[in-house]
Amino acid sequence: MSPPSGGNLEANLAKARGFLERFRGAPLGHFIAGKAVSGVGREVFDNISPVDARVINQVISGDEQDVNAAANAAEAAFPAWRAKTGDERRAILHRVANAIEARREEIAFVECMDTGQALRFMNGAALRGAENFRFFADRAPGAADGLALPAAEHLNYTTRQPIGPVAIITPWNTPFMLSTWKIAPALAAGCTIVHKPAEWSPLTATLLAEIMTEAGVPAGVVNLVNGIGERTGKLLTEHPAIRATAFIGESRTGSLIMSQGAPTLKRVHLELGGKNPVIVFDDADLDRAVDAVVFMIYSLNGERCTSSSRLLVQRSIHDRFVERVAERVARLKVGHPLDPATEIGPLIHQRHLDKVMSYFKIAREDGAQIKAGGALAENLKPGFYVQPTLFTNANINMRVAREEIFGPVLTVLPFENEAEAVKIANDTPYGLTAYIWTGDSGRALRMAHAVEAGMVWVNSENNRHLPTPFGGMKASGIGRDGGDYSFDFYMETKNICIAHGTHRVPKLGDAK
Ligand code: NAD
């Protein structure tokens, strides 16, 4: 299916206004037990568009009673949902995918206005979300499958059962796609869910809850509570009816999620931050490497966990390679996300803009050079636009080489040889992805095994294949998503041992 057409800015703005109209008026509430509800909590917060710093709508922050209502609805709906056959769940989840595709333009336009992500990328977001539902729908009939482990006089076999109601807590960078990546496998496994979307980008979560319900997901199987992370999110991760928390967000929030869930012994799955290296050797196809380096940090506004935010370049090609990257950075088109020509939109929020901009000062103080960008995109104020930025002359001790900036900001680090490249690549608390560019297959293998990262791409940008494991090492996370790995999280593995009736059962109290 082809994505929606690019259109032009004026026409797209008119459409976006139409799609956003429904959110104006009463503050946005929750979605519990199959219905949109305003709930009990009375605290509201503004949802601001990064495009022009204007309030799109107000959102209600769920309180304890709202979280209780959602968790209890998920608990009540669990027995009937888990009792459905895999084929029944498969059929319902395919209907969800169809319904997402039918509303793909609305999802894309609302996401652009709510997050600042450019339409050229968000055009595909709904389709990728639908693809996530289709992929896990087709796996639902086999989700319980296990192993036969025969012993001499017993047959052991394993099966998997859904863990129960789960909390799904998502960030603001590409909220619709990431939500489907978590929710689809949970539902396919037979779990029920309570979703808490990020407070800076709540809108498409409501569209998704509505779509799932209209497509036939029974009431209570999917629930949504809006709210502030430290309050609503915290309550959810502490709730006794919730058996596990699937979380995507910052590393320090991940550690809070673990401790909040500890008293109720919750299983946690954490997809966290990154400071990912792209390592370019002098024997690489440099034309393809330039394309991939620029794409992997400046797409999605650099607000991407898998972005290659550290460029490690072999000294022999350092100057000419960096010159080529800098030329591209200078030509990147920053603009309104609904302009089809835009490559970089505004950052999500004034606070995030301030954080990203603070690294320009830090870079200067630490002695790095700002080769491109390094300032606000003044002409686009009051939106939260920043110039795409390139730091050179950096070393691994500088904060711009160590900390996740999560914006369109790339730090270049030179290296001499493989050993030094590995040392620099691994000298960070994170370990999400690494990208290796070389024409030497032996070197590619040596590097791929040596770098500390959950996912490594050789001679490629991030290229997703849904059966593969997705997740990070070190401060980048715990657990893996994708294919069967997702079911390992959302399901309990049970071993069943059946005797042949031939073995000797020990006798006690039988002494003559
Ligand atoms: P964040 O950690 O601030 O917030 C994520 C979510 O957690 C939000 O819904 C928030 O409301 C909620 N939250 C905050 N505090 C909470 C608490 N104490 N208890 C429960 N919930 C709480 O992250 P963010 O700023 O929204 O997102 C950006 C981060 O996400 C970056 O670090 C990025 O690398 C990471 N990320 C990781 C992946 C991945 O797959 N590894 C994907 C996308 C984004």
Side-chain angles (χ1 to χ4, degrees):
M1 175 170 300
S2 60
S5 70
N8 63 57
L9 178 56
E10 288 313 310
N12 289 347
L13 269 173
K15 274 188 192 166
R17 275 194 284 274
F19 288 134
L20 290 174
E21 197 49 46
R22 57 167 291 179
F23 292 107
R24 314 223 188 255
L28 180 66
H30 320 297
F31 197 93
I32 298 176
K35 286 196 199 74
V37 294
S38 49
V40 177
R42 291 278 67 91
E43 190 190 335
V44 295
F45 57 91
D46 289 338
N47 178 33
I48 293 164
S49 177
V51 168
D52 51 12
R54 290 216 191 123
V55 175
I56 301 179
N57 67 320
Q58 290 197 310
V59 185
I60 302 174
S61 189
D63 73 4
E64 195 165 356
Q65 292 180 66
D66 301 314
V67 171
N68 269 339
N72 293 342
E75 192 176 35
F78 178 60
W81 182 245
R82 74 178 284 186
K84 285 209 182 300
T85 65
D87 283 335
E88 287 170 328
R89 285 201 291 274
R90 177 182 182 279
I92 293 173
L93 297 185
H94 273 294
R95 288 208 295 275
V96 173
N98 296 342
I100 290 175
E101 285 169 0
R103 286 172 70 176
R104 65 194 190 277
E105 191 172 58
E106 177 188 4
I107 293 165
F109 280 54
V110 170
E111 195 86 314
C112 288
M113 293 300 284
D114 204 17
T115 65
Q117 295 289 5
L119 185 61
R120 68 166 61 221
F121 302 117
M122 290 307 100
N123 256 341
L127 297 185
R128 277 195 65 182
E131 203 188 316
N132 288 339
F133 270 94
R134 291 204 191 288
F135 175 81
F136 285 106
D138 286 338
R139 295 206 161 208
D145 289 356
L147 296 172
L149 299 165
E153 293 179 289
H154 293 82
L155 171 65
N156 289 273
Y157 75 92
T158 69
T159 186
R160 286 189 300 204
Q161 298 179 334
I163 191 168
V166 297
I168 292 178
I169 301 186
T170 48
W172 44 257
N173 55 330
T174 49
F176 186 82
M177 207 288 290
L178 289 173
S179 304
T180 60
W181 179 232
K182 291 288 185 193
I183 293 172
L187 298 184
C191 294
T192 55
I193 66 141
V194 181
H195 181 200
K196 210 298 285 171
E199 49 271 46
W200 285 353
S201 63
L203 299 186
T204 52
T206 290
L207 299 185
L208 181 58
E210 200 174 272
I211 286 170
M212 289 188 289
T213 304
E214 284 168 9
V217 175
V221 172
V222 293
N223 304 278
L224 157 71
V225 189
N226 275 302
I228 303 295
E230 292 78 359
R231 291 198 288 284
T232 315
K234 179 169 183 288
L235 287 164
L236 186 58
T237 60
E238 292 169 342
H239 201 283
I242 298 291
R243 302 297 313 280
T245 301
F247 172 75
I248 310 177
E250 284 192 28
S251 300
R252 66 170 178 274
T253 317
S255 88
L256 289 175
I257 301 272
M258 279 185 97
S259 61
Q260 290 162 192
T264 47
L265 290 174
K266 272 189 197 26
R267 184 182 288 183
V268 290
H269 185 171
L270 307 175
E271 289 188 6
L272 310 175
K275 187 74 178 176
N276 310 302
V278 51
I279 307 168
V280 183
F281 286 94
D282 60 7
D283 57 9
D285 179 334
L286 298 183
D287 293 337
R288 288 171 72 83
V290 167
D291 288 342
V293 164
V294 172
F295 177 75
M296 274 316 301
I297 181 64
Y298 298 106
S299 57
L300 298 176
N301 302 343
E303 295 166 326
R304 178 178 196 158
C305 57
T306 53
S307 73
S308 53
S309 50
R310 292 185 295 154
L311 168 59
L312 279 55
V313 194
Q314 198 156 24
R315 268 194 206 283
S316 44
I317 53 162
H318 176 275
D319 292 356
R320 66 193 158 96
F321 191 80
V322 171
E323 242 3 278
R324 290 183 67 179
V325 172
E327 275 167 28
R328 290 285 192 87
V329 177
R331 294 212 309 266
L332 286 168
K333 184 153 180 2
V334 183
H336 195 291
L338 291 179
D339 183 339
T342 290
E343 292 172 311
I344 298 188
L347 299 183
I348 183 77
H349 196 273
Q350 181 69 49
R351 288 223 306 271
H352 188 55
L353 178 69
D354 293 344
K355 174 189 156 179
V356 171
M357 301 258 306
S358 74
Y359 281 95
F360 302 157
K361 186 159 170 273
I362 292 168
R364 285 192 193 92
E365 284 168 2
D366 285 356
Q369 189 193 337
I370 299 184
K371 177 93 179 157
L376 196 70
E378 287 283 347
N379 56 324
L380 294 166
K381 269 164 78 175
F384 309 136
Y385 295 87
V386 69
Q387 295 176 1
T389 297
L390 182 65
F391 297 136
T392 53
N393 255 357
N395 66 55
I396 191 60
N397 298 315
M398 294 181 182
R399 287 180 60 191
V400 292
R402 308 190 69 78
E403 297 174 13
E404 186 184 45
I405 299 173
F406 217 57
V409 179
L410 177 62
T411 301
V412 185
L413 298 154
F415 68 87
E416 285 298 338
N417 51 32
E418 280 180 37
E420 195 185 6
V422 170
K423 188 164 177 294
I424 295 172
N426 291 346
D427 190 357
T428 155
Y430 296 105
L432 189 59
T433 68
Y435 304 86
I436 296 160
W437 286 85
T438 173
D440 176 339
S441 57
R443 168 179 274 169
L445 281 168
R446 290 190 296 279
M447 290 297 297
H449 284 255
V451 291
E452 293 167 350
M455 295 167 281
V456 178
W457 278 273
V458 175
N459 295 331
S460 178
E461 77 288 9
N462 166 347
N463 212 288
R464 288 289 292 130
H465 180 48
L466 297 181
T468 61
F470 184 102
M473 296 180 178
K474 294 156 75 179
S476 289
I478 297 178
R480 297 289 181 272
D481 271 320
D484 212 47
Y485 300 92
S486 296
F487 290 151
D488 273 342
F489 176 71
Y490 292 111
M491 303 181 87
E492 296 279 17
T493 295
K494 180 182 273 185
N495 187 62
I496 297 165
C497 178
I498 308 167
H500 291 197
T502 54
H503 75 288
R504 186 179 154 271
V505 179
K507 289 182 192 294
L508 294 180
D510 192 39
K512 298 281 181 287

